[in-house]
Amino acid sequence: MDYNTQRSKLIMPEYGRHVQKMIEYVMNIEDKDKRNEQIRAVVAVMGILNPQLRDLNDFRHKLWDHVQIISDFEIDIESPYPLPTKETFITKPNPVPLDKTPLKAAHYGRNIQNMVDMIAEKPEDELRRNMVMVLANYMRQQYLIWNKDSVSEETIFKDIDTLSGGRIKIPEDFHLSTVHYAPSPTQQGNQGTYQSHRGENYRSEGHRSNVYRGNKKKINKRK
């Protein structure tokens, strides 16, 4: 639908046809001072009809721009803001280039693949080793989102080798912390076993987990 076709219909329906008629009336006023006076009143009405715009820092600027849009940019008034042009609103934005390279492992997503490529370009040092450790733990977390069963560190290391095209070699002494899987309360049933799992489905050894405690109401016994 082109711009002229849109003009045959109600412009900016959120204001209604009455506002459009008021702006058309102001456009036909010959005295410019009177025209500026009347359009300020119309803008005030537009602000009342759309109170949600008041949450925006530049809501008054938007109202004056809407006047220009409704008038098809033909109204001759003194606006407190720079006047927009028709091309500003009908020109299509430049397309955003997207990376169309096929993913080597779709369940990890493109961000992890980009992280692997970035780490693979780093020199072999302690910083790179620490980055690989962080990456491997994060990949395991993402893996467990889609596969609720446990995942071995060998699987994660193999995926890193695949994603990096063999550029990242995992040292033999490299190990991830053990992860335990605790069934959810739904799987356990309402048997009061929720606290026994300390409120976590997955937790690493050596880290203290939070304990979910029920909100028990204290009862004062009469003596």
Side-chain angles (χ1 to χ4, degrees):
M1 182 181 294
D2 59 17
Y3 190 82
N4 292 329
T5 304
Q6 293 180 5
R7 276 293 298 170
S8 62
K9 297 184 178 181
L10 182 63
I11 305 301
M12 305 198 72
E14 61 269 27
Y15 291 110
R17 192 167 300 277
H18 293 294
V19 169
Q20 185 166 324
K21 290 293 185 181
M22 285 190 288
I23 292 177
E24 291 174 357
Y25 169 78
V26 174
M27 291 175 62
N28 295 322
I29 297 177
E30 294 183 1
D31 184 81
K32 188 171 183 178
D33 292 336
K34 187 68 174 180
R35 197 161 55 239
N36 290 327
E37 176 186 343
Q38 292 298 313
I39 200 61
R40 286 193 293 268
V42 174
V43 170
V45 173
M46 293 168 63
I48 295 174
L49 294 176
N50 287 271
Q52 70 276 7
L53 292 178
R54 296 182 180 274
D55 297 333
L56 304 176
N57 294 330
D58 57 345
F59 82 99
R60 291 191 61 83
H61 192 172
K62 289 186 177 298
L63 292 176
W64 284 91
D65 284 352
H66 292 171
V67 168
Q68 294 295 330
I69 295 173
I70 295 173
S71 70
D72 197 21
F73 303 91
E74 294 179 357
I75 189 170
D76 182 17
I77 55 173
E78 293 180 0
S79 172
Y81 305 97
L83 294 177
T85 61
K86 185 183 299 186
E87 289 71 19
T88 304
F89 295 93
I90 64 176
T91 302
K92 294 182 179 180
N94 295 326
V96 178
L98 299 178
D99 188 357
K100 298 182 180 180
T101 306
L103 291 173
K104 298 178 181 178
H107 56 284
Y108 286 124
R110 191 171 300 278
N111 287 337
I112 287 183
Q113 185 167 316
N114 292 337
M115 291 167 61
V116 171
D117 292 335
M118 182 269 294
I119 295 174
E121 298 298 326
K122 297 291 182 182
E124 293 281 356
D125 54 15
E126 188 64 23
L127 175 61
R128 170 170 163 156
R129 178 185 174 91
N130 292 335
M131 294 174 70
V132 172
M133 174 69 77
V134 173
L135 173 66
N137 280 285
Y138 181 65
M139 288 175 62
R140 180 174 58 182
Q141 293 177 8
Q142 296 302 303
Y143 189 100
L144 292 173
I145 291 177
W146 304 103
N147 187 347
K148 297 301 182 182
D149 297 329
S150 60
V151 55
S152 65
E153 62 180 25
E154 288 78 12
T155 299
I156 300 299
F157 296 160
K158 182 180 179 181
D159 289 344
I160 291 177
D161 180 76
T162 301
L163 291 173
S164 67
R167 292 174 295 169
I168 299 179
K169 299 297 183 183
I170 306 298
E172 294 182 358
D173 62 338
F174 199 89
H175 297 287
L176 300 179
S177 57
T178 305
V179 171
H180 298 284
Y181 171 67
S184 65
T186 304
Q187 295 170 325
Q188 287 289 326
N190 298 324
Q191 302 295 329
T193 59
Y194 197 37
Q195 292 183 4
S196 64
H197 297 296
R198 298 183 181 275
E200 290 185 350
N201 285 344
Y202 298 99
R203 64 183 179 86
S204 300
E205 287 184 348
H207 295 278
R208 187 174 181 179
S209 59
N210 296 325
V211 180
Y212 280 77
R213 296 189 177 95
N215 295 326
K216 296 182 178 180
K217 189 175 181 179
K218 186 176 180 181
I219 301 176
N220 296 322
K221 296 182 178 180
R222 291 185 178 180
K223 295 183 178 180

